[in-house]
Amino acid sequence: MGKKKPLSRKTQFFLLALVPACFTVLGVFLQPLHTLEEGIPAILKEPDFLITDYFAVGGPGATLLNAGAVTLICIYLVYRLGMEIDGHTITSVCLMFGFSLFGKNVMNIWSILLGVWIYARYHRTSLSRYIYIGFYGTSLSPIITQLMQLGHLPVAGRLLLAIAVGIVIGFVLPPLCTHAHFAHRGFSLYNVGFAGGIIAIAVVSLFKSFGLKIETRLIWSSEYTGEFAVILATVLAAFITAGLLPSPRTTFRGYLRILKAAGTGGSDYVKEVGIRPVLLNMGINGYFAVGFVLLTGGDLNGPTIGSVFTILGFSATGKHLRNIAPVMAGVWIASLTKSWDISDPSAVLALLLSTTLAPIAGQFGMLWGIAAGFLHSSVALNVGIVYSGMNLYNNGFAGGIVAMFLVPLIQSFVNRKARASGEISL
């Protein structure tokens, strides 16, 4: 028998769209129709800075409809731009789905994407060069929703202001992301979260200087853990099965190559080993993450499932069991010594999203990974106050700070001959 022909580009995108499409269909069955009709507008209108669980705002069915719609639109945009599927496609799709469970929606992402498109046009290049930055940059979409809540302005004025601010955010994202990467050198995977935190600090500072007050919030559901444990287990089993077929031995060889990688920013496991080992990696990482949450008494809801999908997405571009387990263990150890419990809402998100620092464990070993997770837990639980939760990738900002602080110290210990290079700046 001859070799099978590779799947066509259209078929690849169809298969990629199956996951959000299935969740969209599932959403229709999770809620009565009349509550769906009420839940979707509630999601679109509700201020959605951290932590706002869409499961509690509009119900799990409406939340999955929102997440499915956002993700399918993003997949269609990538397809229309003529791009091929790679690891970064999978990462961005998983992030758009995951964070559409607790912050992004079909209304608040567009002005930021428009700003990125204008940036590409200004520099006379294709949007395909920056589209993933645009998707990640919608981590700042709560700013857009917040501007629409300014009751002292007419609706038209609020809309124009929200669009203008979103365009500015989208326009400054690409250059900031490039320079942010130099700061942590790829040892924090959520690079746009780090850049987004810088933008959020500037924007929220402007808000406060004009007298706009942003109250802290915690909207968190805990009644859906059982049913979503079953749903996630089924989805992850499908990933593993698809990855192992038709040749488990070949898949395992590719997976072992993934486990040997450091996982620093810019990795693309799809290009390096193919899609099937990546699917296996996603399934294994997903089971580990969900199991960790359940064993520590955490809830499965919009924010935690979104965080699990973040781990799944970056399983194509940097994360694997060898480099995420030490970092998560560091957060868990921190919970035994600090004043918070690992099952607290902010703590369980830090547990899952601390894996932005997986490259530290991958490059320098388990003990440094544990140290990174231990430090990250403190930074992540406190740094969000500077931008009032307006950056959904809070752990990305925290992870960038930890990497900037920790990596030079690690290198000075690892290499006793290491010294600061260049002129000393006073």
Side-chain angles (χ1 to χ4, degrees), residues 2-22:
K3 292 184 178 180
K4 290 185 177 180
K5 293 182 179 179
L7 296 176
S8 68
R9 178 173 173 272
K10 183 179 292 187
T11 302
Q12 290 176 22
F13 273 91
F14 173 78
L15 293 174
L16 181 63
L18 272 182
V19 175
C22 288

Side-chain angles (χ1 to χ4, degrees), residues 121-143:
R121 290 296 299 267
Y122 177 79
H123 287 279
R124 298 178 182 178
T125 188
S126 171
L127 177 61
S128 61
R129 184 174 180 180
Y130 303 111
I131 188 63
Y132 296 140
I133 289 178
F135 289 162
Y136 300 144
T138 55
S139 64
L140 298 172
S141 57
I143 293 174

Side-chain angles (χ1 to χ4, degrees), residues 253-308:
R253 281 201 297 264
Y255 179 64
L256 291 176
R257 285 182 59 189
I258 290 176
L259 289 178
K260 293 177 182 178
T264 50
S267 301
D268 188 339
Y269 297 152
V270 173
K271 287 185 176 179
E272 293 171 14
V273 300
I275 187 61
R276 297 189 187 281
V278 168
L279 288 172
L280 177 61
N281 189 42
M282 292 171 71
I284 291 173
N285 290 348
Y287 274 124
F288 181 78
V290 172
F292 212 135
V293 170
L294 295 178
L295 287 173
T296 53
D299 302 309
L300 290 178
N301 53 24
T304 53
I305 295 171
S307 301
V308 168

Side-chain angles (χ1 to χ4, degrees), residues 232-243:
L232 288 175
T234 303
V235 172
L236 296 172
F239 285 169
I240 291 176
T241 301

Side-chain angles (χ1 to χ4, degrees), residues 382-394:
N382 290 282
V383 75
I385 193 172
V386 298
Y387 43 69
S388 302
M390 288 292 176
N391 176 25
L392 293 174
Y393 300 166
N394 177 63

